[in-house]
Amino acid sequence: MSKIKPSKGAPYARILGVGGYRPTRVVPNEVILEKIDSSDEWIRSRSGITTRHWASPEETVTAMSVEAAGKAIADAGITPEQIGGVIVSTVSHFKQTPAVATEIADKIGAVKPAAFDISAGCAGFGYGLTLAKGMIVEGSSEYVLVIGVERLSDLTDLEDRATAFLFGDGAGAVVVGPANEPGIGPTVWGSEGDKSETIKQTVPWTDYRSGEVEKFPAITQEGQAVFRWAVFEMAKVAQQALDAAGMSVADLDVFIPHQANMRIIDSMVKTLKLPEHVTVARDIETTGNTSAASIPLAMERLLATGKAKSGDTALVIGFGAGLVYAATVVTLP
């Protein structure tokens, strides 16, 4: 018989507050067209993007995260000292160590929280949300800050016609805390590493350091392969998340998919046969693809504009490089 005491966490967890930060510089398609042979019409028809935000030198991964975190903490009605965990999902923090989460935790005023980074691409927010839920139910933290943040402009090849127009910068954050009823459903997550070449960094950092390549590494992808996978396979994952939560599409109020591409979003809506009453996040139009930040940024905007409201039931799904994915049903803060 084990002598270990059982954990004494909360019975359930939910999102209590959300915050976002978009860099001040707004970049229209015309700027992208300076380096690639394309057109505004082509970019809009292929992606749905009209503008995106690019960070200034001062708008670092840390600075954007601190801004978003402060808003989420205020929205949750708690103090930074109550934060017991900080999870940051990013692929664009260029220091291998220490984790940027530790710096962010210090700057927001958290007191000795668990703090770590995760690298799960565009599914990173869902991964972080699931880990936060486990920490709260397990009892190691009462409140956990989950941040998705990217400066993808640093990893964009502006001469790559397939990706130059896609990426944007920003940070989104949520506070996850205890609840007396389920506020975050079971997560359906996984990976398909045999498809890892479809979205990747062009070359390792060591190739650039050694001079084997002169061009700074960037993110590249096989657009058609990613599109097919996202539309057909992720619709299945989304349905599995609904099934795991004991719900149908008719029970949903909001659908917040990763903001990868407007065509992917619209195709998923059609494949899932979402009813007309379900509000669909389409933040991609003016924010671009911000990877791990896209879901919390879209969530924050829906709530801020009144298109979604506190207590709504939302299906969230992230998918991207790896290939990795994570989907769950949540109650909006």
Side-chain angles (χ1 to χ4, degrees):
M1 183 176 179
S2 175
K3 297 180 180 180
I4 300 173
K5 290 183 179 180
S7 300
K8 294 183 178 180
Y12 305 105
R14 67 165 292 170
I15 300 172
L16 300 175
V18 61
Y21 180 83
R22 292 172 172 82
T24 55
R25 184 187 177 193
V26 177
V27 180
N29 289 338
E30 286 73 19
V31 172
I32 306 299
L33 296 173
E34 293 172 3
K35 294 289 185 71
I36 60 172
D37 180 17
S38 187
S39 68
D40 177 63
E41 181 184 3
W42 187 89
I43 293 174
R44 290 174 186 246
S45 65
R46 297 286 293 181
S47 67
I49 299 172
T50 60
T51 60
R52 73 284 293 145
H53 295 257
W54 283 355
S56 67
E58 294 76 26
E59 291 169 316
T60 63
V61 164
T62 298
M64 292 190 294
S65 296
V66 169
E67 290 291 328
K71 294 175 183 177
I73 292 168
D75 192 42
I78 65 169
T79 65
E81 292 81 6
Q82 292 175 275
I83 297 291
V86 177
I87 303 171
V88 177
S89 178
T90 185
V91 299
S92 48
H93 173 58
F94 292 147
K95 285 185 179 178
Q96 193 70 36
T97 191
V100 73
T102 58
E103 182 182 355
I104 294 166
D106 177 63
K107 288 187 178 297
I108 65 172
V111 181
K112 297 183 179 179
F116 56 95
D117 298 350
I118 58 175
S119 177
C122 306
F125 176 74
Y127 275 51
L129 194 63
T130 304
L131 294 171
K133 172 187 173 183
M135 292 163 72
I136 290 160
V137 173
E138 185 269 342
S140 61
S141 299
E142 185 175 13
Y143 299 99
V144 178
L145 180 66
V146 179
I147 301 170
V149 57
E150 300 293 2
R151 271 183 56 118
L152 293 181
S153 58
D154 291 334
L155 287 168
T156 299
D157 180 355
L158 294 178
E159 296 178 346
D160 180 0
R161 190 171 184 269
T163 60
F165 58 90
L166 280 176
F167 302 121
D169 303 337
V174 298
V175 171
V176 182
N180 292 321
E181 58 183 19
I184 301 173
T187 299
V188 177
W189 57 355
S191 64
E192 297 185 31
D194 60 315
K195 300 178 181 65
S196 61
E197 291 294 301
T198 56
I199 306 174
K200 64 180 182 179
Q201 183 172 306
T202 49
V203 295
W205 301 115
T206 48
D207 286 3
Y208 180 72
R209 182 184 65 184
S210 66
E212 290 184 44
V213 295
E214 295 182 358
K215 200 173 220 180
F216 193 75
I219 296 173
T220 187
Q221 69 175 30
E222 298 174 15
Q224 286 302 314
V226 173
F227 181 88
R228 289 193 297 270
W229 177 77
V231 170
F232 298 109
E233 296 303 320
M234 291 306 97
K236 296 176 187 176
V237 170
Q239 184 59 56
Q240 290 169 10
L242 286 170
D243 294 342
M247 302 174 64
S248 71
V249 290
D251 298 314
L252 288 177
D253 300 303
V254 184
F255 178 46
I256 311 177
H258 163 49
Q259 303 294 292
N261 181 302
M262 193 75 80
R263 292 168 62 220
I264 290 175
I265 294 170
D266 291 341
S267 296
M268 289 183 71
V269 168
K270 184 177 180 180
T271 303
L272 286 168
K273 298 179 180 179
L274 291 184
E276 287 190 9
H277 76 265
V278 177
T279 297
V280 180
R282 291 187 171 89
D283 195 42
I284 179 89
E285 181 179 2
T286 56
T287 304
N289 180 341
T290 56
S291 189
S294 79
I295 290 176
L297 278 174
M299 182 184 295
E300 185 260 353
R301 176 161 279 174
L302 287 175
L303 290 165
T305 58
K307 293 180 179 179
K309 62 183 186 299
S310 175
D312 278 354
T313 299
L315 170 63
V316 299
I317 179 169
F319 46 86
L323 293 170
V324 295
Y325 56 87
T328 187
V329 176
V330 303
T331 301
L332 295 183

